[in-house]
Amino acid sequence: MSNFLRRFKLLPWREMLQISALVNSIVVGLELFLAWGFIQSQLFRNVLKLLFGSSLGMLIPFAIAVGMGALAVYFLEYWQQQFLLNRISLWFLVFCILLGLLLKSFLPIPPFLASLSETALIGVAVGVFWKGRPYWR
């Protein structure tokens, strides 16, 4: 038990939270752009209605969540110098991204792309572990 607590304390929490904030900020920026386009342009509104109204619209939140997870691992690989990625740190990266989605749910932004849901949980986990496959050990 003490070994788990020691590993838990040694995780790169600051880096994972920063990367989670960056990935969630990118998604918030995309959602704000989509909301602005929906309000400003009739053509953009029609395209979004067509895209989200079709059967493809159900896959978009899952694909965005997978992309969020993969992008987070990519950023973590790019910035990580002092610590070693492993399965436990990947799970806590999933937790940090979902924590960011929880905080994003309190913002008054319509969740076009990603929201805290089971689909997001599965998608983020798939994205993180798909991109983080070399670190499974």
Side-chain angles (χ1 to χ4, degrees):
M1 184 68 167
S2 65
N3 190 19
F4 174 76
L5 290 176
R6 183 174 175 268
R7 278 197 267 163
F8 185 75
K9 288 179 185 178
L10 293 177
L11 285 172
W13 285 106
R14 182 182 311 167
E15 289 85 2
M16 287 193 289
L17 289 171
Q18 287 173 346
I19 288 170
S20 171
L22 177 64
V23 169
N24 280 296
S25 298
I26 290 170
V27 171
V28 166
L30 287 172
E31 287 179 339
L32 287 173
F33 175 74
L34 288 177
W36 177 78
F38 189 82
I39 292 169
Q40 295 295 324
S41 172
Q42 182 65 32
L43 176 65
F44 203 75
R45 184 178 306 133
N46 291 340
V47 169
L48 285 177
K49 284 182 182 178
L50 180 67
L51 186 62
F52 283 98
S54 68
S55 60
L56 185 63
M58 292 189 296
L59 293 177
I60 291 173
F62 180 75
I64 293 295
V66 170
M68 287 175 69
L71 189 64
V73 173
Y74 174 75
F75 286 148
L76 200 57
E77 287 174 343
Y78 184 73
W79 284 322
Q80 75 96 11
Q81 301 296 327
Q82 301 87 6
F83 53 88
L84 182 64
L85 289 174
N86 57 20
R87 186 178 19 169
I88 293 172
S89 63
L90 292 177
W91 275 115
F92 281 106
L93 182 61
V94 169
F95 171 74
C96 288
I97 294 170
L98 292 176
L99 180 65
L101 285 175
L102 175 68
L103 293 175
K104 185 179 104 37
S105 69
F106 294 121
L107 296 175
I109 299 171
F112 282 123
L113 301 176
S115 62
L116 187 62
S117 65
E118 290 177 3
T119 304
L121 169 66
I122 294 168
V124 168
V126 166
V128 164
F129 284 99
W130 171 65
K131 177 69 174 138
R133 187 175 307 143
Y135 309 111
W136 283 3
R137 301 180 227 191

